[in-house]
Structure formats: structure tokens, C-alpha cells
Amino acid sequence: MAGFLRKLRKIATPKPLEPATVDCAGQQVDVVFRRNGSARRLILRLNTDGTAAVVTVPGGVSRAQALDFVMRSADWLGERLSKRGENIPLRPGSMIPLRGEKHEIRHINLRRGTVTVDPLAKEILVPGEPPHVARRLTDFLKVAARQDLAAASQRYAEVMGVAMRRITIRDQRSRW
């Protein structure tokens, strides 16, 4: 009986859909299909990195129909991709915006220390091992954003005449 149920489950489980690549506004975009049995319609969105399109495919819809849906939505997809901008790699030599100005990321050969900003040279100096530059810089940027947000929130609270209790910052990537 258990063997029969396993075979039945294999038959009932749809095979994963093969990814595709589409041309969108002169740019090649990867398309990933995710089958969802409880979905009622085709849903198109960008992945969290903004580098690929993700299509939620309900049961009973073929890959060809889903791909046709993506092709019909190419203008929408191109518009979203152009609004996202480009991803900037967090590595030495890259230019990133910090408080409205471009700064160059520079690795310094110190084993320990904190990330510092040289406002005159417009550089962000990152100590530590080279493989850890991106993580250290990300941690620094989160702390700097929290400090700037707290200062701005305090100013606005004083202007509005209200008391601010606390600020909570979370990574809501999985909540959307």
C-alpha cells in the first residue's frame, strides 16, 4: 500500500518548469517559473536582487502559457528593471552613494579596526581580510543608516511636538 501511495504522489506532483531567458528592452532577463497549486492566476515579479523575473504558475497552466504571459508583460518588466537601477558590488574600487555623495570603497591592510569615512578624499576605508570587505561594509552602512534615521526622527518628533519611543529596523525581504 505504501509503495502505491508513493507512485501516486509521483504522478500527482507536477514536474518543475524549465527556466527561460527573454529579451526585455534590449536586455536579457532570466525567467524562473515556480509552480503553486493554490495560486489562482499567473503572477510576475522581480526577484529580491532585481536580476531575474519570477513567475508564479498555478496548476493547469503550461510553461508555454506562462512564457507567453511574460512576453506580453515585457514592457512592464522593462519599466521595473529600469527603475531598479544597477546592483553595485561591494568591493574595493566600487563607487557607492553615502549621504548623497559618491564614495570609493578602499581596502586597507589592517587586520583589525573599524570602517571609517574620509570625507575629503570621498573614500570609505575598510580594514580586515579582503574576503570580508562586503560584510564589514554592509554592517557599517546599516549602523550609519540607523544613526541618520534616529537623528532625523528625533528632529521631526521635536517639530511635531511628540515623543519618540524607539526605532525598529528589520530586513523585510521575506515579509513581502
Side-chain angles (χ1 to χ4, degrees), residues 28 36 59 114:
Q28 292 294 322
N36 185 339
T114 59

Side-chain angles (χ1 to χ4, degrees), residues 137-148:
L137 187 58
T138 301
D139 293 345
F140 166 77
L141 292 172
K142 286 180 181 179
V143 169
R146 178 183 284 279
Q147 291 170 347
D148 292 351

Side-chain angles (χ1 to χ4, degrees), residues 14-105:
K15 293 179 182 172
L17 301 171
E18 291 292 321
T21 304
V22 296
D23 183 48
C24 186
Q27 179 181 351
Q28 292 294 322
V29 179
D30 294 329
V31 180
V32 178
F33 299 101
R34 297 230 168 99
R35 186 151 319 262
N36 185 339
S38 63
R40 294 183 181 189
R41 64 186 185 284
L42 289 164
I43 301 170
L44 176 63
R45 66 183 192 285
L46 290 177
N47 66 355
T48 55
D49 298 336
T51 57
V54 179
V55 182
T56 302
V57 182
V61 176
S62 69
R63 180 182 182 274
Q65 291 170 316
L67 193 54
D68 181 54
F69 171 70
V70 173
M71 299 301 254
R72 285 184 281 129
S73 304
D75 292 338
W76 178 89
L77 192 57
E79 183 181 319
R80 294 302 179 273
L81 286 169
S82 66
K83 284 182 181 178
R84 286 287 301 233
E86 63 181 90
N87 289 335
I88 301 171
L90 296 179
R91 62 176 177 239
S94 295
M95 299 290 285
I96 63 169
L98 178 66
R99 297 183 180 105
E101 295 183 3
K102 292 274 190 178
H103 287 71
E104 181 181 357
I105 300 169

